[in-house]
Amino acid sequence: MMVRRKTTLTFLTVLLAGCSSTPSWLGSGGGDTVLDSHQQTVAAGEEALKRAVESSEGDGNTDLDEAIEPSLKLTAENARDRLDAGKPDLEDEAEAEERDLWARLRGGFAMNHEQGDERVQQQLNWYKKHPSYIRRVVERGSRYLHYILDQTEERGLPAEYALLPVVESAFDPFAYSHGRASGLWQFIPGTGKHFGLDQSWWHDDRRDVIAATNAALTYLDQLARRFDGDPTLALAAYNSGGGTVSSAIRRNARQGKPTDYWSLSLPRETRHYVPKLIALAKIFDDPEAYGIELPALADEPYFEVVETGGQIDLAHAAELAGVDVDEIYLLNPSFNRWATRPDGPHRLLVPVANAARFRTGIAAIDPDTRVSWQSYKVRSGDNLGSISRRHGTTPAVLREVNKLNSDLIRVGQQLLIPSARDGRNAYSLSQSQRIARKQESGGRSGSGTRVEHVVKRGDTFWDIAREHGVSVRQVAAWNGMAPGDPLVPGKKLVIWSRDASAATGTAVASANRSGMVRKVGYRVRKGDSLSTIANRFAVNISDIASWNDLNTARYLQPGQSLVLYVDVRNSR
């Protein structure tokens, strides 16, 4: 089977342009901090969907919904209809073939699919055994693929890149990993900020379909240029950081070994990252060869961008467009709350079929009905913190909407507080509702007692997890967080405690409460391993991995900095 080479000239151009200077991967490692990063991005959605597919029986819709971030799962019956509604009609197969997105995708394939590495075959074997996985990611991705492929072609990049969200998030727009990566393209906060993906109480651009896609393709393009046009090295760097890949290349070069991706010693996830994409490309290139039937997907845009002219309540927008509010969230997953952000950009993605109706409706809207506001009269003892907690917002938002220069307020002062038009429960895919359902999900296993914990100054995930006999990652996941996320005093966490005494409030204060636990910075020495460090400080290997977001299959590097929480009575 011939591999398509539509964009080969682009890579040859980049390669030839780089011949006049020393290849960047042989440099000293200086330059752009993001391109030089050693930070590995742990993807969220792909493995979750695989686990769900493996555990499903029959059609498996109920089990498969487990992999769409629990927020989507709990709107199961209606959400299933909406997720599947992304598929085009199959009434006229001949017409569909003429406008088939898969043919266009194949025409842009430019990578070598004939790599004989066993890692590719392992991935192919899994996909062949679980064809429902391919069907499900196509159903999810049908909202986004046309736009992503458009942008990939516009930049002259390999069309295989359009399939990368399958590996990253399984096309779950709300995917959030324990490594703090978010969205279809799984940007971590620092990398997202570098590429202009802003995050606030109102929104997270890492989940914005347009902004995140453009940022991801820009990043991949820059990485490809860094590695002299090699897409496999660019992909590896997207996953584990350009600095990690450059170090592996230099190590092989010093030892006289090949320096291509397939020959490098890379973190475990990165070693399987490119093979997953190659395996997917092979299947999409010739699905019949693997016994897989791709759902037909017309080569037509799914959504249009409509200017809203200002902030608007998402339930009101859905009403104007004639769609369900969940459809608005699925196309605009960056919005955390019940409304678009007040400072813009003022746009919404809506299905093509509803765009004209929405434009007409938004043009005629009464400005006073765009967003609901509640008037609040400040009482004695109030402060912005207490008011914001009672109304589900933040002091920063209250300062912003009331044009306050400080936190100073006076008794009798009138404050405007933004509020949801239809009540928060109507916005099932807003951040607060997604988190609320996550917090309840821990009780479905039937073990553990539900405990609410209000974060106090000095609390850490480790303290809380140890007190309740659960893992750091569990506490974070139950609350829609990652272990590296900051714990803000006053935040309410839900824990499914395995410690009966802690659950009933009779536990003796933990070692940390009595001042026996210290946060320790440790620099890895030559010969150190997670096991030797754990023994030295009387902690668990799994805890060290959680505190530092480490892959336990990856070797520690001398000079690497670790954070440890050590009981000073037990360390050696």
Side-chain angles (χ1 to χ4, degrees):
M1 179 174 57
M2 295 294 292
V3 178
R4 278 75 173 177
R5 303 266 180 193
K6 185 175 180 180
T7 57
T8 302
L9 289 177
T10 300
F11 281 96
L12 286 175
T13 301
V14 174
L15 182 61
L16 291 172
C19 289
S20 60
S21 59
T22 304
S24 57
W25 50 262
L26 285 178
S28 60
D32 190 288
T33 55
V34 171
L35 293 182
D36 257 347
S37 169
H38 286 262
Q39 174 72 50
Q40 182 170 9
T41 301
V42 182
E46 199 263 351
E47 290 303 326
L49 181 55
K50 280 190 171 183
R51 288 194 299 271
V53 168
E54 288 171 340
S55 65
S56 65
E57 295 179 1
D59 184 56
N61 277 346
T62 301
D63 290 330
L64 287 169
D65 280 328
E66 294 284 335
I68 308 172
E69 174 128 334
S71 51
L72 295 184
K73 172 179 59 179
L74 297 192
T75 55
E77 187 172 347
N78 292 333
R80 166 57 44 211
D81 293 338
R82 285 189 292 278
L83 286 168
D84 289 349
K87 295 184 295 183
D89 294 332
L90 307 181
E91 296 171 358
D92 190 338
E93 293 186 7
E95 182 182 351
E97 286 180 6
E98 290 180 7
R99 298 179 290 108
D100 182 46
L101 191 68
W102 305 130
R104 180 179 166 195
L105 179 75
R106 293 170 191 133
F109 282 162
M111 296 175 66
N112 178 13
H113 298 178
E114 304 308 318
Q115 172 58 241
D117 192 281
E118 65 176 7
R119 289 170 286 178
V120 175
Q121 190 59 49
Q122 289 171 358
Q123 299 298 328
L124 279 171
N125 291 342
W126 192 93
Y127 293 132
K128 286 164 60 179
K129 186 178 178 181
H130 302 94
S132 60
Y133 174 86
I134 301 296
R135 174 178 60 82
R136 285 300 306 284
V137 294
V138 170
E139 289 168 2
R140 289 185 185 181
S142 59
R143 284 177 173 79
Y144 319 113
L145 261 169
H146 186 276
Y147 176 80
I148 292 173
L149 184 57
D150 266 356
Q151 297 303 306
T152 303
E153 289 178 345
E154 188 174 301
R155 295 163 183 265
L157 297 172
E160 287 89 346
Y161 285 5
L163 297 175
L164 194 58
V166 179
V167 179
E168 286 290 342
S169 63
F171 275 117
D172 174 2
F174 300 106
Y176 188 62
S177 81
H178 64 80
R180 304 184 72 197
S182 186
L184 294 174
W185 295 92
Q186 290 289 279
F187 274 101
I188 59 175
T191 307
K193 184 176 181 180
H194 176 85
F195 286 100
L197 302 179
D198 296 328
Q199 299 155 56
S200 74
W201 184 81
W202 288 101
H203 80 294
D204 187 341
D205 272 347
R206 295 178 299 160
R207 296 196 305 267
D208 186 273
V209 175
I210 291 177
T213 296
N214 292 343
L217 296 178
T218 296
Y219 189 20
L220 285 163
D221 192 24
Q222 290 177 1
L223 289 168
R225 294 175 187 277
R226 173 189 172 96
F227 293 104
D228 300 326
D230 188 326
T232 59
L233 294 177
L235 289 163
Y238 187 90
N239 177 250
S240 64
T244 299
V245 175
S246 290
S247 295
I249 291 173
R250 287 194 294 270
R251 189 161 52 245
N252 273 26
R254 285 195 300 268
Q255 298 172 4
K257 296 179 180 179
T259 57
D260 60 288
Y261 164 81
W262 305 98
S263 303
L264 298 180
S265 177
L266 294 165
R268 183 180 182 279
E269 180 170 329
T270 311
R271 291 199 303 272
H272 294 278
Y273 188 77
V274 175
K276 287 178 183 177
L277 185 63
I278 296 296
L280 286 166
K282 288 172 74 73
I283 287 171
F284 280 83
D285 199 16
D286 190 4
E288 291 183 4
Y290 302 97
I292 291 175
E293 182 179 355
L294 290 181
L297 194 57
D299 186 12
E300 297 174 346
Y302 183 89
F303 61 78
E304 285 188 27
V305 180
V306 179
E307 298 297 322
T308 63
Q311 187 179 28
I312 187 169
D313 186 295
L314 294 176
H316 196 176
E319 185 180 283
L320 292 174
V323 298
D324 191 280
V325 69
D326 282 359
E327 180 67 23
I328 293 294
Y329 275 107
L330 287 167
L331 286 175
N332 302 273
S334 67
F335 296 123
N336 294 330
R337 311 297 163 184
W338 61 90
T340 61
R341 52 178 162 168
D343 55 347
H346 299 300
R347 60 165 169 78
L348 279 176
L349 310 188
V350 296
V352 168
N354 303 83
R357 172 175 172 171
F358 184 55
R359 286 192 178 92
T360 300
I362 205 75
I365 193 173
D366 180 347
D368 292 336
T369 66
R370 282 179 169 273
V371 180
S372 297
W373 300 92
Q374 179 179 347
S375 180
Y376 180 82
K377 187 176 182 179
V378 177
R379 298 174 295 200
S380 178
D382 276 345
N383 57 55
L384 286 186
S386 63
I387 296 171
S388 63
R389 282 193 295 273
R390 286 200 300 273
H391 294 89
T393 183
T394 69
V397 170
L398 294 184
R399 287 194 301 270
E400 178 185 359
V401 299
N402 291 281
K403 297 180 171 52
L404 302 176
N405 295 322
S406 69
D407 288 348
L408 185 64
I409 53 177
R410 66 182 185 278
V411 174
Q413 183 176 356
Q414 292 288 341
L415 296 178
L416 284 178
I417 300 174
S419 60
R421 186 191 74 164
D422 294 350
R424 293 193 184 96
N425 291 339
Y427 304 79
S428 60
L429 297 184
S430 66
Q431 184 183 65
S432 62
Q433 294 303 304
R434 297 198 312 269
I435 291 175
R437 287 190 291 267
K438 271 180 170 291
Q439 289 176 331
E440 298 309 313
S441 67
R444 295 193 189 116
S445 63
S447 60
T449 303
R450 189 183 190 279
V451 177
E452 291 189 359
H453 176 92
V454 178
V455 175
K456 296 177 284 295
R457 189 177 300 278
D459 273 351
T460 68
F461 277 115
W462 183 67
D463 297 329
I464 297 167
R466 187 174 69 164
E467 189 169 337
H468 292 278
V470 296
S471 72
V472 167
R473 193 169 293 180
Q474 283 177 311
V475 175
W478 290 332
N479 293 279
M481 303 177 72
D485 286 342
L487 284 176
V488 180
K491 183 179 180 65
K492 184 184 292 184
L493 302 179
V494 169
I495 300 133
W496 291 89
S497 180
R498 307 292 197 272
D499 186 323
S501 60
T504 57
T506 61
V508 180
S510 69
N512 186 55
R513 300 287 188 264
S514 60
M516 291 299 184
V517 171
R518 299 284 188 273
K519 180 179 179 180
V520 175
Y522 181 79
R523 192 171 295 279
V524 176
R525 306 166 190 167
K526 187 175 182 180
D528 273 347
S529 67
L530 286 175
S531 178
T532 59
I533 296 171
N535 287 335
R536 185 177 307 151
F537 291 97
V539 296
N540 294 324
I541 291 175
S542 59
D543 284 333
I544 299 176
S546 293
W547 298 330
N548 297 277
D549 194 25
L550 296 176
N551 184 336
T552 55
R554 185 178 180 183
Y555 291 113
L556 296 175
Q557 301 297 323
Q560 184 175 352
S561 294
L562 300 178
V563 171
L564 308 174
Y565 292 91
V566 177
D567 189 330
V568 295
R569 298 168 298 183
N570 299 330
S571 59
R572 300 163 191 166

